[in-house]
Amino acid sequence: MAITHNLKGFVTVVFVVLAAFIISSCSLIPDMGSSPPSEGLDTLTVSEGSLSPVFSVDTTDYTVTVSNGTTSIIVTGTTSDSLATVSSNSGVAQALNVGENTIVISVSTGFGTPKEYTVTVTREEAALGTRSVSAGYFHTMILKDDGTLWATGRGTLGMLGTGDSEHVSTPVEILVGGTSGGVAAVSSGVYHTMILKDDGTLWATGRNDAGQLGTGDTTDVSTPVEILVDGVSGSVAAVAAGGSHTIILKTDGTLWVTGNNNYGELGTGDTTGVNTPVEISVGDSTSVEAIAAGVEHTFILKTDGSLWVTGRNNYGQLGTGDTVDITTPVEIIVGGPSVGVAAVSAGLNHTMILKTDGTLWATGRNTNGQLGTGDTIDVDTPVEVLTGGISGSVASVAAGGSLTAILKTDGTLWMAGAYAGTYGNSSSTPLEVTGESVSGGVDTISSGGSHVLIVTTDGALWAKGTNGYGQLGTGDTSVAYTPVLVTY
């Protein structure tokens, strides 16, 4: 018997071999008609979740045929495809087309008559018009082309800016200064969020126990409040939110810091924290071009292409050749001084560096292979990372908790570390992310604690990784081993 579900948004059909769990949560038991059951499939049940019908079989020895419109594939073992991905005990079939999708799932162990389901799902149009995205450790902030700001994920301590501390799993719009739109950039920290508006004003929301919001006190806020830098409104060019500290770049090239400073991450020359932004010096008078804040370390890129570091260095994340913390910014050399640095991304305890020749370099903790060096050995001096076995051709990089996302100049996306593999497995060598989500080319990437957000060249938003607080924005809290479309 065919079971029809009209579900809004992107829908996945998940096969899990946890029969006892699924049976206890089932809301629907499908009628299989008069067809005799296949041997080994005495239990084949379906339940309905917020966005996903969940199928369960009582065997790991099976073949799944997934038909979506005019395309059919057979997936077994560790096969993967844009339509479906399965392992020995789980799989995901995706509704790929905007509008109505008919997915036929036939499960067989090779004995008796296969059991077949037909599920009709409706996927709304993708959330086109996404300009950029910033993934925090457990939350995600989304900036659309129209300048509106959206949030999803963990809401603890007000980090989403919704006015409360509730978690959300579908992106909701955030008003900044009481108005919609006008947002130029956003940076997500671990428990706080910093927002830059088109007029150069800086706004903050979330945890403030160490003064990371720069409000002059340590009171948490759940609705964005304006931050004055040097007592002045406006003139902010960029902002980077770290673990419990914030780095602010003004339009005149000066650098300002606020928040926790236990390891020297503020670069003030000591370990005393501040709750109002203070200016710091970085080498000579050359202006600052870009900034990156890790959980407890900071990277500063100057307009001359030199790279400066300060803060915690217990895993070599500063790239200084040792593991000694630093309280005043010092310059590091990446692969020789002849080629300058183009960009830098600081993760939890590791750092990824992109040079102007397109080569990628890494330093710091490597427990999950997040450096992409082919092993899990920590390094304290930047080493080059090959993507697809090739040097160079990297366009951008995003370092997260224990993972790294890499965008190449040809628009292909690669991942190293946690959740890099198709089935959520780690990889110490960058693996290419394939499927519909990246078929048209990737424009922007952002890595969170254990999740990655992907903006494609058509402005669609895709998400992959853990989702315990709804940080993927898919409307539920299910993990996504392959990229899923975000609609809002």
Side-chain angles (χ1 to χ4, degrees):
M1 176 178 126
I3 303 172
T4 300
H5 300 280
N6 289 318
L7 305 175
K8 291 185 179 293
F10 177 72
V11 179
T12 61
V13 181
V14 184
F15 309 89
V16 287
V17 191
L18 296 174
F21 172 77
I22 295 297
I23 291 172
S24 67
S25 61
C26 285
S27 59
L28 296 174
I29 303 297
D31 180 3
M32 297 310 300
S34 58
S35 299
S38 297
E39 184 176 332
L41 291 180
D42 294 332
T43 303
L44 182 51
T45 58
V46 60
S47 65
E48 184 177 15
S50 59
L51 282 179
S52 302
V54 179
F55 287 76
S56 172
V57 297
D58 63 353
T59 178
T60 58
D61 182 16
Y62 63 84
T63 297
V64 179
T65 303
V66 180
S67 174
N68 189 349
T70 59
T71 305
S72 296
I73 61 168
I74 297 177
V75 287
T76 61
T78 56
T79 303
S80 64
D81 186 272
S82 60
L83 278 179
T85 300
V86 301
S87 64
S88 61
N89 63 355
S90 64
V92 178
Q94 301 184 351
L96 297 181
N97 305 314
V98 173
E100 186 175 279
N101 292 256
T102 300
I103 302 176
V104 179
I105 302 109
S106 177
V107 183
S108 173
T109 59
F111 301 94
T113 302
K115 294 189 175 184
E116 185 175 284
Y117 293 90
T118 299
V119 180
T120 302
V121 297
T122 300
R123 196 184 86 181
E124 293 180 344
E125 187 174 357
L128 301 181
T130 302
R131 183 193 307 174
S132 63
V133 63
S134 178
Y137 213 77
F138 302 109
H139 74 296
T140 300
M141 304 298 293
I142 306 162
L143 178 58
K144 297 194 71 173
D145 284 337
D146 61 5
T148 58
L149 183 65
W150 300 70
T152 189
R154 190 171 186 175
T156 305
L157 303 171
M159 70 183 85
L160 297 183
T162 55
D164 55 41
S165 295
E166 298 298 318
H167 312 324
V168 299
S169 60
T170 298
V172 295
E173 186 180 358
I174 306 302
L175 301 183
V176 183
T179 60
S180 173
V183 176
V186 61
S187 180
S188 302
V190 175
Y191 288 106
H192 74 294
T193 301
M194 304 299 295
I195 304 159
L196 177 61
K197 297 199 73 174
D198 290 332
D199 60 5
T201 58
L202 182 64
W203 300 72
T205 189
R207 190 175 189 176
N208 196 30
D209 61 322
Q212 56 264 52
L213 300 188
T215 55
D217 55 38
T218 55
T219 304
D220 303 335
V221 299
S222 60
T223 300
V225 295
E226 187 179 359
I227 307 303
L228 302 183
V229 183
D230 196 23
V232 179
S233 173
S235 299
V236 174
V239 63
S244 296
H245 74 294
T246 300
I247 311 298
I248 304 162
L249 175 61
K250 296 197 69 176
T251 53
D252 62 4
T254 59
L255 195 62
W256 299 71
V257 297
T258 188
N260 189 56
N261 197 27
N262 288 345
Y263 302 96
E265 54 263 53
L266 297 186
T268 55
D270 54 39
T271 56
T272 303
V274 297
N275 57 32
T276 300
V278 297
E279 186 178 1
I280 65 168
S281 298
V282 183
D284 57 27
S285 59
T286 304
S287 294
V288 173
E289 168 115 352
I291 48 180
V295 172
E296 294 164 329
H297 68 297
T298 299
F299 271 68
I300 304 157
L301 176 61
K302 301 185 74 172
T303 53
D304 61 2
S306 63
L307 188 61
W308 299 68
V309 301
T310 189
R312 194 170 194 182
N313 197 27
N314 54 329
Y315 292 102
Q317 57 264 51
L318 296 185
T320 54
D322 55 40
T323 56
V324 179
D325 300 340
I326 295 173
T327 61
T328 300
V330 298
E331 184 181 0
I332 65 167
I333 303 301
V334 182
S338 59
V339 179
V341 174
V344 61
S345 181
L348 173 61
N349 293 307
H350 75 293
T351 305
M352 305 299 295
I353 304 162
L354 175 61
K355 299 196 72 174
T356 53
D357 62 359
T359 59
L360 182 63
W361 300 72
T363 189
R365 192 173 191 180
N366 199 26
T367 305
N368 291 95
Q370 56 263 48
L371 300 187
T373 54
D375 55 43
T376 56
I377 301 171
D378 301 342
V379 298
D380 56 25
T381 300
V383 295
E384 187 178 0
V385 178
L386 303 182
T387 307
I390 300 173
S391 172
S393 301
V394 174
S396 66
V397 62
S402 53
L403 56 83
T404 299
I406 304 163
L407 176 59
K408 299 199 71 174
T409 53
D410 61 4
T412 57
L413 178 63
W414 300 69
M415 284 184 62
Y419 290 91
T422 304
Y423 311 110
N425 52 298
S426 298
S427 175
S428 62
T429 301
L431 300 178
E432 185 176 2
V433 178
T434 59
E436 188 215 10
S437 62
V438 294
S439 60
V442 175
D443 182 68
T444 304
I445 52 177
S446 183
S447 297
S450 297
H451 69 296
V452 173
L453 277 297
I454 306 158
V455 180
T456 50
T457 53
D458 61 359
L461 179 62
W462 299 76
K464 167 182 165 72
T466 58
N467 193 28
Y469 294 98
Q471 57 262 49
L472 299 187
T474 54
D476 54 35
T477 55
S478 300
V479 64
Y481 297 122
T482 56
V484 294
L485 187 70
V486 181
T487 58
Y488 60 100

